[in-house]
Amino acid sequence: MRIDIITLLPELLVSPFSASIVKRAQENSSVSIHLHDLRQYGLNKYGQVDDYPYGGGAGMVMMIEPIDRCLQDLKAERNYDAVIYMTPDGERLNQKLANKCSLMENIIILCGHYKGVDQRVRDHLVTHEISIGDFVLSGGELAAAVFCDSIIRLIPGVLGDESSALTDSFQDNLLAPPIYTRPADYKGWKIPEILSSGNTPAIDAWRIQKAQERTQHLRPDLLND
Ligand code: ADE
């Protein structure tokens, strides 16, 4: 998978992609991530990328021309499956959407700032709009980092243990069951006996039951989905 990210603040995206699973995924060529500084496509000698809103009002609006020029450069090189705009009023990210996007080959992610982008960017240039939740961040970069992490770990070969993404919370509309490690008794707080029984079918059944109980208790909405 190739991910191109268009942003006014590329430095915000360096650290999230420089450690752990996402770093390894780049090292073993499962994914390549390319940051594009929108300012380089800015207009006039100031590299202008934003302007006042027509009709008045507070805040600045990201202009269409620098974004369009950057997109044209990228699209001249290869075909893209999606041009995704990170925005709080987009489709809410969940595991199902992450699974779908993880199957894409080449994607472009556009990070918004200020009051957002000129509506014509959304109407004519963007193919998907994604929100990571019902709250407003200062810009799309952190949302893009969250989105990228959620899809990169689903690319086959990225996780060491192939089955590990399958047992994640939400993968079957179920939260993950409780897990424990040594010691078996800490200050009198004991692990459930079944887990040290060696009886794998019984342990599997216990895990399914706990996952269902936990989901029923914490997120009953998932069971009706
Ligand atoms: N940009 C600002 N807030 C956002 C959010 N919640 N999701 C996606 N992009 C955003």
Side-chain angles (χ1 to χ4, degrees):
M1 172 184 273
R2 177 185 168 111
I3 304 176
D4 290 278
I5 305 181
I6 302 173
T7 168
L8 285 170
L9 293 170
E11 64 272 25
L12 261 186
L13 284 164
V14 174
S15 147
F17 300 141
S18 305
S20 187
I21 291 167
V22 174
K23 179 184 183 199
R24 236 185 14 247
Q26 293 172 90
E27 286 168 353
N28 75 17
S29 305
S30 296
V31 68
S32 64
I33 301 172
H34 306 264
L35 303 179
H36 305 277
D37 186 350
L38 186 60
R39 191 106 14 219
Q40 301 201 336
Y41 292 85
L43 311 181
N44 57 46
K45 63 178 179 188
Y46 305 107
Q48 186 182 1
V49 290
D50 60 336
D51 210 335
Y52 296 101
Y54 273 118
M60 302 294 275
V61 180
M62 287 169 68
M63 305 168 88
I64 189 169
E65 189 175 345
I67 294 170
D68 190 30
R69 291 202 332 217
C70 182
L71 288 173
Q72 278 178 32
D73 271 8
L74 291 172
K75 288 178 182 172
E77 295 294 324
R78 65 196 66 77
N79 290 324
Y80 286 92
D81 301 299
V83 178
I84 299 166
Y85 175 48
M86 303 308 302
T87 175
D89 55 4
E91 179 181 356
R92 182 99 63 86
L93 179 62
N94 58 23
Q95 197 62 31
K96 192 168 155 206
L97 182 56
N99 284 335
K100 192 174 106 187
C101 295
S102 75
L103 300 174
M104 293 177 173
E105 204 56 51
N106 301 319
I107 62 173
I108 295 173
I109 300 176
L110 172 64
C111 303
H113 257 276
Y114 317 120
K115 278 280 165 204
V117 296
D118 186 306
Q119 181 60 36
R120 290 166 293 184
V121 172
R122 303 176 69 164
D123 292 344
H124 302 289
L125 302 178
V126 158
T127 62
H128 298 62
E129 301 186 326
I130 294 180
S131 161
I132 64 161
D134 287 344
F135 45 84
V136 179
L137 301 166
S138 308
E141 285 74 14
L142 298 181
V146 167
F147 171 63
C148 287
D149 189 293
S150 77
I151 62 173
I152 289 169
R153 62 197 307 286
L154 294 171
I155 299 171
V158 165
L159 292 184
D161 174 358
E162 276 286 9
S163 70
S164 151
L166 299 176
T167 57
D168 283 346
S169 275
F170 301 112
Q171 202 63 32
D172 315 305
N173 269 2
L174 281 181
L175 302 183
I179 50 166
Y180 301 86
T181 188
R182 289 188 294 178
D185 183 339
Y186 183 70
K187 295 182 175 175
W189 302 325
K190 296 189 177 60
I191 66 164
E193 248 170 56
I194 180 98
L195 294 178
S196 50
S197 67
N199 183 343
T200 310
I203 292 172
D204 288 346
W206 179 88
R207 286 188 168 141
I208 291 169
Q209 187 199 332
K210 288 293 165 193
Q212 284 167 344
E213 282 172 15
R214 191 178 255 189
T215 311
Q216 182 69 56
H217 180 56
L218 298 172
R219 292 292 307 276
D221 55 301
L222 291 175
L223 297 172
N224 307 323
D225 197 356

